[in-house]
Amino acid sequence: MQHQSRLAAVAASILLTAGIGATIPASAAQSAAPSSAPATALVTNARWGGHSTFDRIVIDIRGKVPPVTVQAVKALHYDGLGTKVPLAGKHFLEIRLSPAAAHDDKGRSVYKGPRLTKIALPTLKGIALTGDYEGVVTFGAAFNTKPSYTTRTLHSPERFVVDIHHPRGCGR
Protein backbone atom coordinates (compact mmCIF):
# COMPACT_ATOMS: atom_id res chain seq x y z
CA MET A 1 0.00 0.00 0.00
CA GLN A 2 2.83 2.39 0.84
CA HIS A 3 4.43 1.71 -2.57
CA GLN A 4 1.15 2.60 -4.31
CA SER A 5 0.94 5.89 -2.34
CA ARG A 6 4.45 6.87 -3.45
CA LEU A 7 3.64 5.93 -7.04
CA ALA A 8 0.47 8.03 -6.92
CA ALA A 9 2.39 11.00 -5.48
CA VAL A 10 5.04 10.77 -8.22
CA ALA A 11 2.34 10.50 -10.92
CA ALA A 12 0.48 13.50 -9.49
CA SER A 13 3.71 15.47 -9.40
CA ILE A 14 4.45 14.66 -13.05
CA LEU A 15 0.92 15.60 -14.12
CA LEU A 16 1.02 18.83 -12.12
CA THR A 17 4.39 19.78 -13.62
CA ALA A 18 3.16 18.96 -17.12
CA GLY A 19 0.01 21.01 -16.55
CA ILE A 20 2.02 24.03 -15.36
CA GLY A 21 4.41 23.70 -18.29
CA ALA A 22 1.50 23.70 -20.71
CA THR A 23 0.27 27.04 -19.40
CA ILE A 24 3.49 28.97 -20.17
CA PRO A 25 2.72 31.53 -22.89
CA ALA A 26 4.44 30.96 -26.23
CA SER A 27 6.20 34.34 -25.95
CA ALA A 28 7.84 33.29 -22.68
CA ALA A 29 8.91 29.96 -24.12
CA GLN A 30 10.44 31.74 -27.14
CA SER A 31 12.33 34.21 -24.94
CA ALA A 32 13.79 31.30 -23.00
CA ALA A 33 15.24 29.82 -26.20
CA PRO A 34 19.00 30.16 -26.55
CA SER A 35 20.29 32.95 -28.78
CA SER A 36 23.66 34.15 -29.99
CA ALA A 37 23.28 37.52 -28.20
CA PRO A 38 24.55 37.62 -24.61
CA ALA A 39 21.97 38.09 -21.84
CA THR A 40 23.88 41.12 -20.55
CA ALA A 41 25.10 43.70 -23.05
CA LEU A 42 28.88 43.50 -23.43
CA VAL A 43 30.78 46.73 -24.05
CA THR A 44 33.65 45.90 -26.41
CA ASN A 45 35.11 49.23 -27.56
CA ALA A 46 34.93 53.02 -27.46
CA ARG A 47 36.12 55.16 -30.32
CA TRP A 48 35.81 58.74 -31.51
CA GLY A 49 36.12 60.91 -34.58
CA GLY A 50 36.06 64.54 -35.61
CA HIS A 51 33.65 65.90 -38.20
CA SER A 52 33.19 69.40 -39.63
CA THR A 53 30.48 70.45 -37.12
CA PHE A 54 30.69 67.85 -34.34
CA ASP A 55 32.91 65.33 -32.58
CA ARG A 56 31.55 61.82 -32.09
CA ILE A 57 31.98 59.14 -29.40
CA VAL A 58 30.91 55.61 -30.37
CA ILE A 59 30.53 52.80 -27.84
CA ASP A 60 30.39 49.35 -29.44
CA ILE A 61 28.11 46.72 -27.88
CA ARG A 62 27.80 42.95 -28.28
CA GLY A 63 24.13 42.17 -27.69
CA LYS A 64 21.29 44.66 -27.41
CA VAL A 65 22.21 48.23 -26.41
CA PRO A 66 21.09 48.63 -22.79
CA PRO A 67 19.54 51.78 -21.33
CA VAL A 68 22.10 54.60 -21.35
CA THR A 69 22.22 57.85 -19.39
CA VAL A 70 24.45 60.77 -20.31
CA GLN A 71 24.80 63.59 -17.82
CA ALA A 72 27.07 66.51 -17.06
CA VAL A 73 29.16 66.05 -13.91
CA LYS A 74 31.58 68.36 -12.10
CA ALA A 75 34.37 65.77 -12.09
CA LEU A 76 34.99 62.19 -13.21
CA HIS A 77 35.67 59.43 -10.68
CA TYR A 78 36.44 55.74 -11.10
CA ASP A 79 33.45 53.62 -10.03
CA GLY A 80 34.06 51.50 -6.96
CA LEU A 81 37.27 53.37 -6.07
CA GLY A 82 36.10 56.97 -6.01
CA THR A 83 39.48 58.27 -7.17
CA LYS A 84 39.50 61.18 -9.59
CA VAL A 85 40.05 60.38 -13.28
CA PRO A 86 43.11 62.31 -14.54
CA LEU A 87 41.54 63.89 -17.64
CA ALA A 88 42.17 67.58 -18.24
CA GLY A 89 39.05 69.65 -18.90
CA LYS A 90 36.65 72.13 -17.42
CA HIS A 91 33.46 70.21 -18.27
CA PHE A 92 32.70 66.49 -18.16
CA LEU A 93 30.06 64.03 -19.33
CA GLU A 94 29.39 60.69 -17.66
CA ILE A 95 28.03 57.97 -19.96
CA ARG A 96 26.46 55.11 -17.99
CA LEU A 97 25.26 51.82 -19.57
CA SER A 98 23.19 49.47 -17.40
CA PRO A 99 22.76 46.56 -17.28
CA ALA A 100 26.07 45.99 -19.05
CA ALA A 101 29.55 44.55 -18.53
CA ALA A 102 32.97 44.92 -20.10
CA HIS A 103 33.94 41.39 -19.04
CA ASP A 104 32.62 37.89 -19.71
CA ASP A 105 31.15 35.40 -17.22
CA LYS A 106 34.66 34.21 -16.30
CA GLY A 107 35.82 37.75 -15.47
CA ARG A 108 37.94 38.17 -18.61
CA SER A 109 37.83 41.61 -20.23
CA VAL A 110 35.96 41.83 -23.54
CA TYR A 111 36.67 45.56 -23.75
CA LYS A 112 39.46 46.27 -26.26
CA GLY A 113 39.23 50.06 -26.34
CA PRO A 114 41.10 52.85 -24.59
CA ARG A 115 41.17 53.05 -20.80
CA LEU A 116 42.36 56.68 -20.54
CA THR A 117 43.16 58.77 -23.60
CA LYS A 118 43.88 62.42 -24.25
CA ILE A 119 42.21 63.61 -27.48
CA ALA A 120 42.88 66.78 -29.51
CA LEU A 121 39.57 67.43 -31.28
CA PRO A 122 37.73 70.77 -31.38
CA THR A 123 35.40 69.82 -28.48
CA LEU A 124 36.41 66.37 -27.18
CA LYS A 125 39.62 66.48 -25.12
CA GLY A 126 39.68 63.04 -23.53
CA ILE A 127 37.83 59.82 -22.80
CA ALA A 128 38.19 57.19 -20.07
CA LEU A 129 36.59 53.90 -19.12
CA THR A 130 35.69 54.78 -15.54
CA GLY A 131 33.82 51.68 -14.45
CA ASP A 132 32.86 48.07 -15.08
CA TYR A 133 31.26 47.48 -11.73
CA GLU A 134 28.15 45.63 -10.54
CA GLY A 135 26.38 45.53 -13.92
CA VAL A 136 27.22 49.11 -14.89
CA VAL A 137 29.79 50.25 -17.46
CA THR A 138 30.74 53.91 -17.24
CA PHE A 139 32.76 56.25 -19.44
CA GLY A 140 33.85 59.81 -18.84
CA ALA A 141 34.50 62.44 -21.49
CA ALA A 142 36.34 65.74 -20.99
CA PHE A 143 35.80 69.13 -22.68
CA ASN A 144 37.16 72.67 -22.35
CA THR A 145 33.74 74.20 -23.15
CA LYS A 146 30.29 73.17 -21.95
CA PRO A 147 29.24 70.36 -24.31
CA SER A 148 26.05 70.53 -26.34
CA TYR A 149 25.29 67.00 -27.46
CA THR A 150 22.77 64.58 -28.95
CA THR A 151 22.63 60.81 -28.52
CA ARG A 152 21.37 57.91 -30.59
CA THR A 153 21.46 54.14 -30.81
CA LEU A 154 22.61 52.59 -34.10
CA HIS A 155 22.19 48.97 -35.18
CA SER A 156 24.00 46.32 -37.22
CA PRO A 157 26.39 46.44 -35.44
CA GLU A 158 24.94 47.64 -32.14
CA ARG A 159 26.41 50.88 -30.81
CA PHE A 160 25.61 53.97 -28.77
CA VAL A 161 26.63 57.36 -30.19
CA VAL A 162 27.17 60.76 -28.59
CA ASP A 163 27.58 63.68 -31.02
CA ILE A 164 29.11 66.76 -29.39
CA HIS A 165 28.39 69.88 -31.42
CA HIS A 166 31.20 72.34 -32.13
CA PRO A 167 30.65 75.84 -30.76
CA ARG A 168 29.75 78.40 -33.42
CA GLY A 169 32.82 79.72 -35.16
CA CYS A 170 34.86 76.63 -34.25
CA GLY A 171 37.17 76.02 -37.18
CA ARG A 172 39.47 73.15 -37.90
Side-chain angles (χ1 to χ4, degrees):
M1 185 73 171
Q2 194 176 28
H3 178 65
Q4 289 176 336
S5 296
R6 279 192 204 158
L7 189 58
V10 169
S13 171
I14 291 170
L15 289 174
L16 182 59
T17 302
I20 290 171
T23 62
I24 296 173
S27 60
Q30 288 172 350
S31 68
S35 76
S36 60
T40 298
L42 296 177
V43 178
T44 60
N45 193 21
R47 50 198 166 91
W48 57 90
H51 300 272
S52 62
T53 60
F54 64 95
D55 295 342
R56 174 173 281 180
I57 299 170
V58 179
I59 300 172
D60 296 320
I61 311 290
R62 188 182 318 145
K64 185 179 176 193
V65 175
V68 182
T69 59
V70 179
Q71 66 179 5
V73 294
K74 291 183 182 202
L76 298 172
H77 295 90
Y78 287 108
D79 294 349
L81 299 173
T83 57
K84 191 170 180 182
V85 176
L87 277 179
K90 296 177 184 172
H91 301 274
F92 304 96
L93 288 179
E94 180 182 79
I95 305 164
R96 184 175 293 266
L97 300 91
S98 179
H103 61 277
D104 64 18
D105 290 340
K106 294 180 181 168
R108 296 177 301 217
S109 180
V110 297
Y111 180 74
K112 304 303 180 201
R115 304 267 173 187
L116 177 68
T117 303
K118 182 179 177 180
I119 301 169
L121 289 174
T123 56
L124 182 61
K125 300 304 175 188
I127 190 167
L129 174 66
T130 59
D132 176 17
Y133 186 70
E134 295 187 350
V136 180
V137 175
T138 312
F139 291 89
F143 309 89
N144 286 334
T145 58
K146 185 175 180 181
S148 169
Y149 62 92
T150 56
T151 65
R152 70 181 78 187
T153 299
L154 299 175
H155 306 284
S156 296
E158 296 295 303
R159 57 213 186 276
F160 181 77
V161 174
V162 181
D163 287 336
I164 307 98
H165 310 287
H166 294 169
R168 291 203 191 283
C170 181
R172 293 191 125 229

Short mmCIF file of all heavy atoms in Angstrom, two decimals, residues 77-136:
data_model
loop_
_atom_site.label_atom_id
_atom_site.label_comp_id
_atom_site.label_asym_id
_atom_site.label_seq_id
_atom_site.Cartn_x
_atom_site.Cartn_y
_atom_site.Cartn_z
N HIS A 77 35.07 60.31 -11.68
CA HIS A 77 35.67 59.43 -10.68
C HIS A 77 35.53 57.98 -11.14
O HIS A 77 34.55 57.62 -11.79
CB HIS A 77 34.98 59.60 -9.32
CG HIS A 77 35.19 60.96 -8.75
ND1 HIS A 77 34.35 62.01 -8.99
CD2 HIS A 77 36.18 61.44 -7.96
CE1 HIS A 77 34.79 63.08 -8.38
NE2 HIS A 77 35.91 62.77 -7.74
N TYR A 78 36.52 57.16 -10.79
CA TYR A 78 36.44 55.74 -11.10
C TYR A 78 35.41 55.09 -10.19
O TYR A 78 35.43 55.28 -8.97
CB TYR A 78 37.81 55.07 -10.90
CG TYR A 78 38.80 55.43 -11.98
CD1 TYR A 78 39.87 56.27 -11.70
CD2 TYR A 78 38.67 54.93 -13.27
CE1 TYR A 78 40.79 56.60 -12.69
CE2 TYR A 78 39.57 55.26 -14.26
CZ TYR A 78 40.63 56.10 -13.97
OH TYR A 78 41.52 56.43 -14.95
N ASP A 79 34.49 54.33 -10.80
CA ASP A 79 33.45 53.62 -10.03
C ASP A 79 34.11 52.61 -9.10
O ASP A 79 35.07 51.95 -9.47
CB ASP A 79 32.49 52.89 -10.97
CG ASP A 79 31.67 53.82 -11.83
OD1 ASP A 79 31.68 55.04 -11.57
OD2 ASP A 79 31.02 53.33 -12.77
N GLY A 80 33.56 52.48 -7.92
CA GLY A 80 34.06 51.50 -6.96
C GLY A 80 35.26 52.01 -6.16
O GLY A 80 35.42 51.65 -5.01
N LEU A 81 36.09 52.84 -6.76
CA LEU A 81 37.27 53.37 -6.07
C LEU A 81 37.03 54.79 -5.56
O LEU A 81 37.50 55.15 -4.50
CB LEU A 81 38.47 53.39 -7.02
CG LEU A 81 38.93 52.04 -7.57
CD1 LEU A 81 40.01 52.25 -8.62
CD2 LEU A 81 39.43 51.16 -6.46
N GLY A 82 36.36 55.58 -6.39
CA GLY A 82 36.10 56.97 -6.01
C GLY A 82 37.24 57.92 -6.33
O GLY A 82 37.11 59.12 -6.14
N THR A 83 38.35 57.39 -6.84
CA THR A 83 39.48 58.27 -7.17
C THR A 83 39.18 59.07 -8.43
O THR A 83 38.47 58.61 -9.32
CB THR A 83 40.78 57.47 -7.35
OG1 THR A 83 40.58 56.50 -8.37
CG2 THR A 83 41.21 56.80 -6.07
N LYS A 84 39.74 60.27 -8.47
CA LYS A 84 39.50 61.18 -9.59
C LYS A 84 40.20 60.67 -10.86
O LYS A 84 41.33 60.20 -10.80
CB LYS A 84 39.99 62.58 -9.23
CG LYS A 84 39.54 63.62 -10.21
CD LYS A 84 39.84 65.02 -9.71
CE LYS A 84 39.36 66.02 -10.73
NZ LYS A 84 39.64 67.39 -10.35
N VAL A 85 39.51 60.78 -11.99
CA VAL A 85 40.05 60.38 -13.28
C VAL A 85 40.94 61.53 -13.78
O VAL A 85 40.49 62.67 -13.85
CB VAL A 85 38.92 60.11 -14.29
CG1 VAL A 85 39.49 59.78 -15.67
CG2 VAL A 85 38.03 58.97 -13.78
N PRO A 86 42.19 61.24 -14.15
CA PRO A 86 43.11 62.31 -14.54
C PRO A 86 42.95 62.77 -15.99
O PRO A 86 43.86 62.64 -16.81
CB PRO A 86 44.49 61.68 -14.30
CG PRO A 86 44.27 60.23 -14.54
CD PRO A 86 42.88 59.95 -14.05
N LEU A 87 41.78 63.30 -16.32
CA LEU A 87 41.54 63.89 -17.64
C LEU A 87 41.45 65.40 -17.48
O LEU A 87 40.69 65.88 -16.64
CB LEU A 87 40.24 63.38 -18.25
CG LEU A 87 40.25 62.04 -18.97
CD1 LEU A 87 38.86 61.70 -19.48
CD2 LEU A 87 41.25 62.01 -20.11
N ALA A 88 42.22 66.12 -18.28
CA ALA A 88 42.17 67.58 -18.24
C ALA A 88 40.90 68.06 -18.91
O ALA A 88 40.49 67.53 -19.95
CB ALA A 88 43.40 68.17 -18.93
N GLY A 89 40.25 69.05 -18.34
CA GLY A 89 39.05 69.65 -18.90
C GLY A 89 38.34 70.47 -17.86
O GLY A 89 38.62 70.34 -16.66
N LYS A 90 37.44 71.30 -18.33
CA LYS A 90 36.65 72.13 -17.42
C LYS A 90 35.23 71.60 -17.28
O LYS A 90 34.52 71.94 -16.35
CB LYS A 90 36.61 73.57 -17.94
CG LYS A 90 37.97 74.23 -17.96
CD LYS A 90 37.87 75.62 -18.55
CE LYS A 90 39.25 76.24 -18.67
NZ LYS A 90 39.23 77.49 -19.40
N HIS A 91 34.82 70.77 -18.25
CA HIS A 91 33.46 70.21 -18.27
C HIS A 91 33.57 68.72 -18.58
O HIS A 91 34.45 68.30 -19.34
CB HIS A 91 32.61 70.92 -19.33
CG HIS A 91 32.51 72.39 -19.11
ND1 HIS A 91 31.57 72.95 -18.28
CD2 HIS A 91 33.25 73.43 -19.58
CE1 HIS A 91 31.72 74.26 -18.26
NE2 HIS A 91 32.74 74.58 -19.04
N PHE A 92 32.63 67.95 -18.01
CA PHE A 92 32.70 66.49 -18.16
C PHE A 92 31.32 65.91 -18.38
O PHE A 92 30.33 66.41 -17.85
CB PHE A 92 33.31 65.87 -16.90
CG PHE A 92 34.66 66.43 -16.57
CD1 PHE A 92 34.79 67.46 -15.66
CD2 PHE A 92 35.79 65.95 -17.19
CE1 PHE A 92 36.03 68.00 -15.35
CE2 PHE A 92 37.04 66.48 -16.90
CZ PHE A 92 37.16 67.51 -15.98
N LEU A 93 31.28 64.82 -19.16
CA LEU A 93 30.06 64.03 -19.33
C LEU A 93 30.33 62.64 -18.80
O LEU A 93 31.40 62.07 -19.03
CB LEU A 93 29.65 63.92 -20.80
CG LEU A 93 29.08 65.15 -21.47
CD1 LEU A 93 28.75 64.83 -22.94
CD2 LEU A 93 27.84 65.66 -20.75
N GLU A 94 29.34 62.08 -18.09
CA GLU A 94 29.39 60.69 -17.66
C GLU A 94 28.39 59.92 -18.51
O GLU A 94 27.23 60.31 -18.62
CB GLU A 94 29.00 60.60 -16.19
CG GLU A 94 29.03 59.18 -15.66
CD GLU A 94 28.59 59.13 -14.23
OE1 GLU A 94 27.36 59.20 -14.00
OE2 GLU A 94 29.45 59.03 -13.35
N ILE A 95 28.86 58.83 -19.12
CA ILE A 95 28.03 57.97 -19.96
C ILE A 95 27.91 56.64 -19.24
O ILE A 95 28.91 55.95 -19.03
CB ILE A 95 28.66 57.79 -21.36
CG1 ILE A 95 28.92 59.15 -22.00
CG2 ILE A 95 27.78 56.91 -22.23
CD1 ILE A 95 29.88 59.11 -23.17
N ARG A 96 26.69 56.28 -18.84
CA ARG A 96 26.46 55.11 -17.99
C ARG A 96 25.54 54.12 -18.71
O ARG A 96 24.41 54.46 -19.06
CB ARG A 96 25.85 55.56 -16.68
CG ARG A 96 25.63 54.48 -15.66
CD ARG A 96 25.14 55.07 -14.35
NE ARG A 96 26.16 55.89 -13.73
CZ ARG A 96 27.02 55.44 -12.80
NH1 ARG A 96 26.95 54.20 -12.38
NH2 ARG A 96 27.92 56.23 -12.29
N LEU A 97 26.02 52.89 -18.92
CA LEU A 97 25.26 51.82 -19.57
C LEU A 97 24.91 50.78 -18.52
O LEU A 97 25.80 50.26 -17.84
CB LEU A 97 26.08 51.16 -20.67
CG LEU A 97 26.53 52.07 -21.82
CD1 LEU A 97 27.89 52.67 -21.53
CD2 LEU A 97 26.55 51.32 -23.11
N SER A 98 23.60 50.44 -18.41
CA SER A 98 23.19 49.47 -17.40
C SER A 98 21.84 48.84 -17.77
O SER A 98 20.93 49.57 -18.12
CB SER A 98 23.07 50.16 -16.04
OG SER A 98 22.65 49.25 -15.06
N PRO A 99 21.75 47.52 -17.69
CA PRO A 99 22.76 46.56 -17.28
C PRO A 99 23.74 46.28 -18.42
O PRO A 99 23.34 46.10 -19.57
CB PRO A 99 21.96 45.31 -16.93
CG PRO A 99 20.73 45.40 -17.78
CD PRO A 99 20.46 46.89 -17.94
N ALA A 100 25.01 46.24 -18.07
CA ALA A 100 26.07 45.99 -19.05
C ALA A 100 27.32 45.53 -18.31
O ALA A 100 27.44 45.69 -17.10
CB ALA A 100 26.37 47.26 -19.85
N ALA A 101 28.26 44.98 -19.08
CA ALA A 101 29.55 44.55 -18.53
C ALA A 101 30.61 44.72 -19.61
O ALA A 101 30.30 44.69 -20.80
CB ALA A 101 29.49 43.09 -18.08
N ALA A 102 31.83 44.88 -19.19
CA ALA A 102 32.97 44.92 -20.10
C ALA A 102 33.85 43.68 -19.88
O ALA A 102 35.01 43.67 -20.22
CB ALA A 102 33.77 46.21 -19.90
N HIS A 103 33.25 42.65 -19.29
CA HIS A 103 33.94 41.39 -19.04
C HIS A 103 32.95 40.24 -19.24
O HIS A 103 31.74 40.43 -19.15
CB HIS A 103 34.51 41.37 -17.61
CG HIS A 103 33.44 41.48 -16.57
ND1 HIS A 103 32.93 42.70 -16.17
CD2 HIS A 103 32.78 40.53 -15.86
CE1 HIS A 103 32.00 42.49 -15.25
NE2 HIS A 103 31.89 41.19 -15.05
N ASP A 104 33.49 39.05 -19.52
CA ASP A 104 32.62 37.89 -19.71
C ASP A 104 32.30 37.22 -18.38
O ASP A 104 32.70 37.71 -17.32
CB ASP A 104 33.25 36.90 -20.72
CG ASP A 104 34.56 36.29 -20.24
OD1 ASP A 104 34.87 36.32 -19.03
OD2 ASP A 104 35.29 35.76 -21.10
N ASP A 105 31.58 36.10 -18.44
CA ASP A 105 31.15 35.40 -17.22
C ASP A 105 32.32 34.86 -16.40
O ASP A 105 32.17 34.57 -15.21
CB ASP A 105 30.21 34.25 -17.57
CG ASP A 105 28.86 34.72 -18.06
OD1 ASP A 105 28.51 35.90 -17.78
OD2 ASP A 105 28.16 33.95 -18.73
N LYS A 106 33.49 34.71 -17.02
CA LYS A 106 34.66 34.21 -16.30
C LYS A 106 35.55 35.35 -15.80
O LYS A 106 36.63 35.11 -15.30
CB LYS A 106 35.46 33.28 -17.21
CG LYS A 106 34.68 32.02 -17.54
CD LYS A 106 35.45 31.10 -18.43
CE LYS A 106 34.58 29.87 -18.71
NZ LYS A 106 35.12 29.06 -19.77
N GLY A 107 35.07 36.60 -15.96
CA GLY A 107 35.82 37.75 -15.47
C GLY A 107 36.87 38.29 -16.42
O GLY A 107 37.60 39.21 -16.08
N ARG A 108 36.96 37.71 -17.63
CA ARG A 108 37.94 38.17 -18.61
C ARG A 108 37.40 39.39 -19.35
O ARG A 108 36.25 39.40 -19.77
CB ARG A 108 38.26 37.07 -19.62
CG ARG A 108 38.93 35.86 -18.99
CD ARG A 108 39.14 34.79 -20.01
NE ARG A 108 37.83 34.42 -20.56
CZ ARG A 108 37.47 33.19 -20.89
NH1 ARG A 108 38.30 32.20 -20.74
NH2 ARG A 108 36.27 32.94 -21.38
N SER A 109 38.25 40.39 -19.55
CA SER A 109 37.83 41.61 -20.23
C SER A 109 37.47 41.33 -21.68
O SER A 109 38.20 40.63 -22.38
CB SER A 109 38.95 42.66 -20.18
OG SER A 109 38.53 43.83 -20.84
N VAL A 110 36.34 41.86 -22.13
CA VAL A 110 35.96 41.83 -23.54
C VAL A 110 36.14 43.21 -24.15
O VAL A 110 35.99 43.40 -25.34
CB VAL A 110 34.51 41.34 -23.75
CG1 VAL A 110 34.33 39.91 -23.26
CG2 VAL A 110 33.51 42.27 -23.09
N TYR A 111 36.48 44.18 -23.30
CA TYR A 111 36.67 45.56 -23.75
C TYR A 111 38.08 45.72 -24.31
O TYR A 111 39.07 45.46 -23.63
CB TYR A 111 36.45 46.52 -22.58
CG TYR A 111 36.64 47.96 -22.96
CD1 TYR A 111 35.68 48.61 -23.73
CD2 TYR A 111 37.78 48.67 -22.59
CE1 TYR A 111 35.85 49.94 -24.09
CE2 TYR A 111 37.95 49.99 -22.95
CZ TYR A 111 36.99 50.61 -23.71
OH TYR A 111 37.16 51.92 -24.08
N LYS A 112 38.16 46.14 -25.57
CA LYS A 112 39.46 46.27 -26.26
C LYS A 112 39.82 47.72 -26.53
O LYS A 112 40.81 48.01 -27.17
CB LYS A 112 39.43 45.48 -27.58
CG LYS A 112 39.07 44.01 -27.43
CD LYS A 112 40.00 43.29 -26.50
CE LYS A 112 39.61 41.83 -26.39
NZ LYS A 112 40.11 41.18 -25.20
N GLY A 113 39.02 48.65 -26.05
CA GLY A 113 39.23 50.06 -26.34
C GLY A 113 40.15 50.75 -25.35
O GLY A 113 40.75 50.11 -24.49
N PRO A 114 40.21 52.07 -25.46
CA PRO A 114 41.10 52.85 -24.59
C PRO A 114 40.59 52.89 -23.16
O PRO A 114 39.39 52.88 -22.92
CB PRO A 114 41.07 54.24 -25.22
CG PRO A 114 39.72 54.30 -25.88
CD PRO A 114 39.46 52.92 -26.39
N ARG A 115 41.51 52.95 -22.23
CA ARG A 115 41.17 53.05 -20.80
C ARG A 115 41.22 54.51 -20.34
O ARG A 115 40.44 54.93 -19.52
CB ARG A 115 42.12 52.21 -19.96
CG ARG A 115 42.16 50.76 -20.37
CD ARG A 115 41.21 49.96 -19.59
NE ARG A 115 41.14 48.60 -20.11
CZ ARG A 115 40.27 47.74 -19.68
NH1 ARG A 115 39.43 48.07 -18.73
NH2 ARG A 115 40.20 46.54 -20.19
N LEU A 116 42.18 55.27 -20.88
CA LEU A 116 42.36 56.68 -20.54
C LEU A 116 43.15 57.30 -21.68
O LEU A 116 44.31 56.94 -21.89
CB LEU A 116 43.12 56.81 -19.21
CG LEU A 116 43.44 58.23 -18.75
CD1 LEU A 116 42.17 58.98 -18.37
CD2 LEU A 116 44.39 58.19 -17.57
N THR A 117 42.52 58.21 -22.41
CA THR A 117 43.16 58.77 -23.60
C THR A 117 42.90 60.26 -23.72
O THR A 117 41.75 60.70 -23.63
CB THR A 117 42.62 58.07 -24.87
OG1 THR A 117 42.85 56.68 -24.76
CG2 THR A 117 43.29 58.59 -26.12
N LYS A 118 43.98 61.00 -23.94
CA LYS A 118 43.88 62.42 -24.25
C LYS A 118 43.57 62.54 -25.74
O LYS A 118 44.14 61.80 -26.56
CB LYS A 118 45.21 63.10 -23.93
CG LYS A 118 45.22 64.58 -24.18
CD LYS A 118 46.57 65.18 -23.80
CE LYS A 118 46.57 66.65 -24.13
NZ LYS A 118 47.86 67.27 -23.79
N ILE A 119 42.65 63.45 -26.09
CA ILE A 119 42.21 63.61 -27.48
C ILE A 119 42.30 65.09 -27.85
O ILE A 119 41.97 65.95 -27.03
CB ILE A 119 40.76 63.10 -27.66
CG1 ILE A 119 40.69 61.62 -27.26
CG2 ILE A 119 40.27 63.32 -29.08
CD1 ILE A 119 39.29 61.07 -27.14
N ALA A 120 42.72 65.39 -29.06
CA ALA A 120 42.88 66.78 -29.51
C ALA A 120 41.89 67.09 -30.63
O ALA A 120 42.29 67.39 -31.76
CB ALA A 120 44.31 67.03 -29.95
N LEU A 121 40.60 67.04 -30.32
CA LEU A 121 39.57 67.43 -31.28
C LEU A 121 39.02 68.79 -30.87
O LEU A 121 39.27 69.25 -29.74
CB LEU A 121 38.47 66.37 -31.31
CG LEU A 121 38.85 65.03 -31.95
CD1 LEU A 121 37.71 64.02 -31.78
CD2 LEU A 121 39.19 65.20 -33.42
N PRO A 122 38.25 69.44 -31.73
CA PRO A 122 37.73 70.77 -31.38
C PRO A 122 36.95 70.82 -30.05
O PRO A 122 37.10 71.78 -29.30
CB PRO A 122 36.84 71.13 -32.56
CG PRO A 122 37.48 70.42 -33.71
CD PRO A 122 37.95 69.11 -33.13
N THR A 123 36.14 69.80 -29.75
CA THR A 123 35.40 69.82 -28.48
C THR A 123 35.86 68.72 -27.53
O THR A 123 36.05 68.96 -26.35
CB THR A 123 33.87 69.69 -28.71
OG1 THR A 123 33.61 68.50 -29.45
CG2 THR A 123 33.32 70.89 -29.45
N LEU A 124 36.05 67.52 -28.01
CA LEU A 124 36.41 66.37 -27.18
C LEU A 124 37.90 66.40 -26.85
O LEU A 124 38.74 66.41 -27.75
CB LEU A 124 36.04 65.07 -27.90
CG LEU A 124 36.31 63.77 -27.16
CD1 LEU A 124 35.51 63.69 -25.86
CD2 LEU A 124 35.97 62.58 -28.06
N LYS A 125 38.23 66.39 -25.55
CA LYS A 125 39.62 66.48 -25.12
C LYS A 125 40.14 65.21 -24.46
O LYS A 125 41.34 65.06 -24.25
CB LYS A 125 39.80 67.67 -24.16
CG LYS A 125 39.43 69.00 -24.80
CD LYS A 125 40.23 69.24 -26.06
CE LYS A 125 39.81 70.50 -26.78
NZ LYS A 125 40.43 70.63 -28.09
N GLY A 126 39.23 64.29 -24.13
CA GLY A 126 39.68 63.04 -23.53
C GLY A 126 38.52 62.11 -23.25
O GLY A 126 37.37 62.55 -23.16
N ILE A 127 38.84 60.83 -23.13
CA ILE A 127 37.83 59.82 -22.80
C ILE A 127 38.48 58.77 -21.90
O ILE A 127 39.67 58.49 -22.02
CB ILE A 127 37.22 59.18 -24.07
CG1 ILE A 127 36.01 58.31 -23.70
CG2 ILE A 127 38.25 58.42 -24.86
CD1 ILE A 127 35.17 57.90 -24.89
N ALA A 128 37.69 58.22 -20.99
CA ALA A 128 38.19 57.19 -20.07
C ALA A 128 37.08 56.18 -19.78
O ALA A 128 35.91 56.55 -19.66
CB ALA A 128 38.66 57.82 -18.77
N LEU A 129 37.47 54.93 -19.67
CA LEU A 129 36.59 53.90 -19.12
C LEU A 129 36.70 54.06 -17.61
O LEU A 129 37.77 53.86 -17.03
CB LEU A 129 37.04 52.50 -19.54
CG LEU A 129 36.29 51.34 -18.91
CD1 LEU A 129 34.84 51.31 -19.39
CD2 LEU A 129 36.97 50.02 -19.24
N THR A 130 35.62 54.48 -16.97
CA THR A 130 35.69 54.78 -15.54
C THR A 130 35.06 53.70 -14.66
O THR A 130 35.18 53.77 -13.44
CB THR A 130 35.03 56.14 -15.23
OG1 THR A 130 33.67 56.12 -15.67
CG2 THR A 130 35.78 57.26 -15.94
N GLY A 131 34.40 52.73 -15.27
CA GLY A 131 33.82 51.68 -14.45
C GLY A 131 33.31 50.50 -15.24
O GLY A 131 32.80 50.63 -16.34
N ASP A 132 33.47 49.34 -14.65
CA ASP A 132 32.86 48.07 -15.08
C ASP A 132 32.58 47.37 -13.76
O ASP A 132 33.34 46.54 -13.30
CB ASP A 132 33.84 47.28 -15.95
CG ASP A 132 33.29 45.92 -16.35
OD1 ASP A 132 32.06 45.70 -16.22
OD2 ASP A 132 34.10 45.06 -16.78
N TYR A 133 31.48 47.79 -13.14
CA TYR A 133 31.26 47.48 -11.73
C TYR A 133 29.79 47.20 -11.47
O TYR A 133 28.94 48.03 -11.78
CB TYR A 133 31.74 48.71 -10.92
CG TYR A 133 31.75 48.57 -9.43
CD1 TYR A 133 32.66 47.75 -8.79
CD2 TYR A 133 30.85 49.28 -8.66
CE1 TYR A 133 32.69 47.64 -7.41
CE2 TYR A 133 30.86 49.18 -7.27
CZ TYR A 133 31.79 48.35 -6.66
OH TYR A 133 31.80 48.26 -5.31
N GLU A 134 29.50 46.02 -10.96
CA GLU A 134 28.15 45.63 -10.54
C GLU A 134 27.09 45.89 -11.61
O GLU A 134 26.04 46.48 -11.35
CB GLU A 134 27.78 46.32 -9.23
CG GLU A 134 28.65 45.87 -8.08
CD GLU A 134 28.21 46.42 -6.73
OE1 GLU A 134 27.34 47.31 -6.68
OE2 GLU A 134 28.75 45.93 -5.72
N GLY A 135 27.36 45.44 -12.84
CA GLY A 135 26.38 45.53 -13.92
C GLY A 135 26.27 46.89 -14.57
O GLY A 135 25.33 47.14 -15.31
N VAL A 136 27.23 47.77 -14.31
CA VAL A 136 27.22 49.11 -14.89
C VAL A 136 28.58 49.37 -15.53
O VAL A 136 29.61 49.15 -14.91
CB VAL A 136 26.96 50.20 -13.83
CG1 VAL A 136 26.97 51.58 -14.45
CG2 VAL A 136 25.63 49.93 -13.11
#
